[in-house]
Amino acid sequence: MTPKPRAAAKPAPKKSNRRERLVQIRQALGMTVKSDPKFLPIVLGTFFGVFVVILVIGFLLEHPIIFGVLGLFSALIAAMVMAGRRASAVQFARIEGQPGAALSVIGAMRGDWRVTQAVEFTKNAEFVHRVIARPGVILIAEGIGARRKELIGTHARKVRRVVGDKPIYDILIGDGEGEVPLRKLQTHLMKLPRNLTPKEVNELEGRLKAVGGASMPIPKGPMPRGKMR
């Protein structure tokens, strides 16, 4: 009698991703505490402040247990939000002004953002990156020189000859008038209207390949995250 083949053993659940995630969180937390001495006092102060206020309300309403549990969860959420904001601010401060900082922000975003880096550049570390997404063509200039507007204008003319009447947006990274701070770049991009369908995005990307791609490598820094879990 032929023995029946044994059923394939189910692979054991992988814990490496979870461990890597914990290691990343621990490293990010340590780096944030080192760079921001006020991090722990502010986060702990937020936690205990929210908890005490809600607990006091519970005693005044003669329901301390219910409000104590509610206060505990509310305090945890408030502390996590505050920790995420402080950590995000530290991460942005570390990469702000470095070549490729805008690429790091876009790389951390959700959605289909197709980036071609350094389509225009100068020897003074001024760069224009081209992004193709649902809003249209987005040209992002970073650096500290005065030729960023000129570079964007040069590439915008090249792109316009190819894309026709499709929307083109230009963004200057900086803190000056009419510029978008790096820490607000993600919010700014997400607020742009969705003018193109996914099919149109594919077609646009194919046509823009003739305009040129990355001309030089840009070092990418750590990707800033909006939250710390």
Side-chain angles (χ1 to χ4, degrees):
M1 187 173 180
T2 306
K4 294 182 180 180
R6 295 182 179 179
K10 294 183 179 180
K14 295 182 179 180
K15 297 183 179 180
S16 58
N17 291 337
R18 183 180 300 177
R19 290 176 181 174
E20 291 177 0
R21 180 61 177 163
L22 291 175
V23 170
Q24 291 175 357
I25 292 176
R26 187 164 58 249
Q27 291 176 346
L29 182 61
M31 182 175 58
T32 302
V33 172
K34 185 177 180 180
S35 303
D36 184 5
K38 297 181 180 179
F39 178 80
L40 284 179
I42 289 177
V43 172
L44 292 176
T46 301
F47 175 84
F48 287 110
V50 172
F51 178 72
V52 169
V53 168
I54 296 179
L55 186 60
V56 169
I57 294 175
F59 275 106
L60 294 176
L61 298 178
E62 298 182 353
H63 293 288
I65 297 178
I66 296 177
F67 277 83
V69 175
L70 177 62
L72 179 62
F73 284 104
S74 299
L76 284 173
I77 294 173
M80 290 172 63
V81 171
M82 180 59 66
R85 290 181 178 178
R86 301 292 297 192
S88 179
V90 170
Q91 291 171 343
F92 278 119
R94 290 183 68 245
I95 68 172
E96 196 166 14
Q98 297 181 12
L103 301 178
S104 295
V105 174
I106 299 173
M109 293 176 58
R110 295 180 179 179
D112 188 10
W113 304 87
R114 307 181 186 185
V115 181
T116 304
Q117 65 180 27
V119 290
E120 305 286 345
F121 64 91
T122 68
K123 63 181 180 180
N124 295 324
E126 298 162 300
F127 304 98
V128 173
H129 312 297
R130 187 177 69 229
V131 181
I132 305 172
R134 294 288 299 278
V137 180
I138 308 166
L139 304 180
I140 301 176
E142 60 176 343
I144 58 175
R147 292 191 56 195
R148 292 178 299 159
K149 290 184 178 180
E150 180 183 341
L151 291 177
I152 278 189
T154 299
H155 198 73
R157 288 189 291 271
K158 297 177 183 177
V159 170
R160 180 59 69 191
R161 290 195 293 265
V162 176
V163 304
D165 58 352
K166 295 293 189 295
I168 300 177
Y169 299 91
D170 57 87
I171 298 174
L172 294 176
I173 301 297
D175 295 317
E177 185 177 356
E179 299 178 342
V180 178
L182 182 67
R183 59 189 177 276
K184 295 183 179 180
L185 176 59
Q186 180 174 341
T187 303
H188 184 84
L189 291 174
M190 295 302 295
K191 287 182 178 180
L192 294 177
R194 301 305 188 250
N195 301 306
L196 305 180
T197 64
K199 182 179 179 181
E200 289 175 323
V201 172
N202 292 332
E203 294 174 350
L204 201 59
E205 183 181 30
R207 281 190 280 170
L208 282 174
K209 286 181 179 179
V211 179
S215 303
M216 63 181 297
I218 302 297
K220 295 184 179 181
M223 294 185 180
R225 300 285 181 177
K227 300 178 181 179
M228 177 180 290
R229 297 182 183 273

